[in-house]
Amino acid sequence: MKQYHDETRFPGMAPTPKSSHPQDPLFRYKSLLDSLNVGFALMDMDFGFLDVNENLLKMTGAPREMVVGRHTSEFYSPGDFERMKSLDLPLQQQGSYQFEFFVPTADGGEIPALFNISINYDENGRPETTNATIIDIREQKRIQAEL
């Protein structure tokens, strides 16, 4: 398994974050998203998980060590992963974008979700990582089905 964490490129981003300091910007961002019931994943440009928040772990039922350091393709069938890439890659030119897909769960289920993606750039303006916020839209889907 390829390990996606690289301490030299992402200082302070440990695969299992131990920082709980309120002044840490990533801690504050993840805490805010947890309070809003929104999942968060920091990913490299090759779809590898660098970090996730507690809400995403609760949503999927997966422990942190099952997600961080792993590649997205490990959680989707090859066809679903290719379909996700076909939605994601063309939109990357916009810098920030959203699309609807699903999140696989540890028990083999699927949760319909809205993915909001923004790209983080390095000091030379090259794409380096992505912030993905993931919103569970099961309730919206249920309401739509009833209409």
Side-chain angles (χ1 to χ4, degrees), residues 125-140:
R126 291 183 304 248
E128 184 172 47
T129 59
T130 61
N131 297 318
T133 56
I134 300 113
I135 301 167
D136 179 342
I137 58 172
R138 285 180 285 195
E139 186 63 19
Q140 291 90 326

Side-chain angles (χ1 to χ4, degrees), residues 21-58:
H21 193 278
Q23 297 304 316
D24 176 13
L26 185 59
F27 171 80
R28 290 186 307 202
Y29 186 61
K30 290 189 316 183
S31 296
L32 172 66
L33 293 176
D34 281 338
S35 71
L36 297 173
N37 201 27
V38 173
F40 169 78
L42 177 67
M43 304 182 75
D44 67 20
M45 296 307 294
D46 188 39
F47 300 94
F49 287 95
L50 299 171
D51 196 11
V52 296
N53 72 339
E54 290 302 314
N55 259 9
L56 186 58
L57 298 174
K58 288 177 193 170

Side-chain angles (χ1 to χ4, degrees), residues 69-84:
R70 310 274 301 268
H71 192 269
T72 305
S73 64
E74 297 179 55
F75 303 104
Y76 290 94
S77 71
D80 286 335
F81 179 65
E82 288 303 315
R83 194 163 58 95
M84 177 187 258

Side-chain angles (χ1 to χ4, degrees), residues 59 75-77 80 83 101-113 136 138:
M59 189 185 303
F75 303 104
Y76 290 94
S77 71
D80 286 335
R83 194 163 58 95
F101 205 59
F102 71 89
V103 174
T105 61
D107 64 5
E110 296 177 354
I111 298 172
D136 179 342
R138 285 180 285 195

